Amino acid sequence: MEADRNTGPPAVASGRTTADRLGRPLQDLRISLLDRCNFRCPYCMPESTFHADYEFLKRSQRLTHEEILTVARVAVGLGVTKLRLTGGEPLLDKQAPDLVAGLADLAGVDDLALTTNGTLLEPVAAALKSAGLKRVTISLDSLDDDVFARMSGGRGSVRQVLNGIAAAERAGISPIKINVVVQRGINDHTVLDLLEYFRGSGHIVRLIEYMDVGNRNGWRMEEVVPSRELLEMIEARWPVTAVGRNYPGEVARRYEYTDGGGEIGFISSVTEPFCGNCSRARLSADGVLYTCLFATRGTDLRTPLRHGVGEAGLAEILERVWLRRSDRYSEQRQPEVAAAQPLSKVEMYRIGG
Ligand code: SF4
């Protein structure tokens, strides 16, 4: 799931801009803290594959917080201003607030966000806020308990997620975004109830088209509900007005209820791809840098990091990777091909949405 922020263009501390082959600047770094999750969402981490005996990364295979800070510092030097912590489920890392504090101290980081399924958020929301977390995005695919269970692999509960949202609000983390992956025949019939629940709350619900991420969700175009169709369904209930993007590269198309009920967004990677402004790099928990959510290969940073490459050497590697970047998978996606002969793509749980 792809992220954004609510203020004007970022200030680049290093003053550097590193642009790829399509002229897109490196601005966002998504950092996966670990490959584990307490959910088993079928569109990301189906239980059939990720069962109890599945071997996830050992701690020694994962980057340490110190190594993550080193990569982030180097990336900021190349123009990154936005950092997002993700997973798997990042709050399974009990020291996440400490890492947030370290990242928040990096000069030039003007946006520090976290993506979580919300079930572990309640006890740490205040600590994350005081550590410097700016915003949080919480995945909540339905308020219907049965549908929620179906989409989370029977893990967690709606109540736990709502408690997490309430705790983030009490802690003063703002804005709070609610990400909803909409799958035809699974949760599309519960979207209006979820929107109704969050209208007037100040939280921003973003409806995300179901994507062919990874290799295991058996994606089919028929299960995609185009954002245009959802918008029509919403407008039949509440008039909305399109509002501009907050900045180039923002992935969501933003709308506001004309009655003041707040903002909603649509992330339409399948029917309205937005690769043209994509400024996102992704770091997996084992230190592989990917330049696209649908990448088929990445660049190992852990080995050079652990062999004393140093920050200057690391900067050369990152810069080289980004300068030769030309990814635009969503613009090139051919749904029938994507369904019939899926590429061997990186799994989403390894790099976050
Ligand atoms: S380049 Fe890749 S990550 Fe960026 S918007 Fe396109 S598909 Fe998504």
Side-chain angles (χ1 to χ4, degrees):
M1 320 304 155
E2 317 214 10
D4 45 315
R5 143 201 98 155
N6 264 350
T7 52
V12 181
S14 68
R16 291 237 352 230
T17 298
T18 310
D20 70 10
R21 286 200 178 145
L22 305 179
R24 300 168 294 185
L26 170 58
Q27 275 176 348
D28 310 54
L29 179 64
R30 284 158 191 224
I31 302 167
S32 173
L33 289 193
L34 70 177
D35 61 340
R36 295 166 188 265
C37 186
N38 56 343
F39 277 19
R40 290 290 180 274
C41 306
Y43 57 73
C44 174
M45 223 180 191
E47 183 93 43
S48 52
T49 305
F50 302 97
H51 43 66
D53 305 326
Y54 185 84
E55 288 210 10
F56 289 100
L57 292 170
K58 298 183 181 59
R59 182 180 289 280
S60 61
Q61 295 171 305
R62 297 203 303 258
L63 293 186
T64 63
H65 284 183
E66 213 34 59
E67 289 168 331
I68 290 173
L69 281 167
T70 300
V71 175
R73 193 166 39 248
V74 167
V76 168
L78 293 170
V80 163
T81 58
K82 298 167 39 124
L83 298 174
R84 173 176 291 275
L85 296 179
T86 184
E89 171 47 48
L91 296 181
L92 285 170
D93 179 338
K94 297 306 173 201
Q95 276 69 50
D98 302 338
L99 178 62
V100 166
L103 295 170
D105 278 349
L106 293 177
V109 173
D110 67 1
D111 188 29
L112 181 51
L114 173 98
T115 298
T116 170
N117 64 33
T119 51
L120 304 171
L121 183 54
E122 187 174 8
V124 291
L128 290 167
K129 173 66 180 178
S130 49
L133 187 72
K134 290 251 172 83
R135 353 181 251 107
V136 67
T137 299
I138 296 153
S139 306
L140 178 59
D141 293 331
S142 183
L143 291 176
D144 177 291
D145 291 325
D146 297 336
V147 175
F148 178 94
R150 186 170 176 193
M151 296 190 81
S152 70
R155 310 293 181 87
S157 71
V158 172
R159 179 41 53 202
Q160 283 176 316
V161 180
L162 294 178
N163 289 349
I165 294 170
E169 191 175 356
R170 283 195 303 276
I173 299 174
S174 175
I176 294 173
K177 295 190 174 162
I178 315 292
N179 275 1
V180 184
V181 173
V182 182
Q183 220 175 329
R184 194 182 297 285
I186 308 284
N187 65 333
D188 50 333
H189 63 291
T190 68
V191 165
L192 290 179
D193 290 346
L194 186 143
L195 290 171
E196 174 71 70
Y197 181 89
F198 286 108
R199 270 169 47 80
S201 69
H203 306 328
I204 300 169
V205 175
R206 290 135 25 109
L207 304 174
I208 303 174
E209 288 181 345
Y210 170 48
M211 292 181 279
D212 53 327
V213 288
N215 312 291
R216 303 172 192 276
N217 62 13
W219 182 85
R220 293 177 308 120
M221 188 63 195
E222 300 83 84
E223 292 183 290
V224 175
V225 182
S227 294
R228 183 80 30 215
E229 184 181 324
L230 283 173
L231 181 58
E232 281 159 22
M233 182 177 80
I234 293 165
E235 283 184 318
R237 180 103 165 245
W238 306 285
V240 294
T241 309
V243 289
R245 283 190 158 92
N246 287 304
Y247 64 100
E250 183 173 26
V251 292
R253 269 193 199 289
R254 302 169 57 228
Y255 288 78
E256 286 176 352
Y257 297 109
T258 52
D259 66 0
E263 180 182 331
I264 58 174
F266 297 89
I267 298 179
S268 319
S269 163
V270 179
T271 62
E272 300 162 43
F274 37 77
C275 304
N277 287 310
C278 179
S279 55
R280 293 171 288 279
R282 299 156 196 268
L283 181 68
S284 69
D286 54 350
V288 180
L289 187 76
Y290 295 92
T291 54
C292 175
L293 177 59
F294 302 92
T296 53
R297 64 177 191 279
T299 303
D300 173 20
L301 301 182
R302 185 185 64 195
T303 306
L305 257 175
R306 292 185 177 175
H307 287 76
V309 71
E311 297 198 9
L314 195 64
E316 274 177 34
I317 298 172
L318 261 73
E319 186 172 29
R320 195 169 52 240
V321 168
W322 193 261
L323 288 177
R324 66 173 186 226
R325 177 193 188 230
S326 59
D327 302 277
R328 49 193 196 90
Y329 174 88
S330 286
E331 287 177 354
Q332 297 164 326
R333 177 194 288 112
Q334 295 165 315
E336 57 292 342
V337 177
Q341 306 139 6
L343 297 169
S344 170
K345 294 169 285 188
V346 60
E347 294 293 344
M348 183 168 75
Y349 76 90
R350 293 196 58 234
I351 53 172

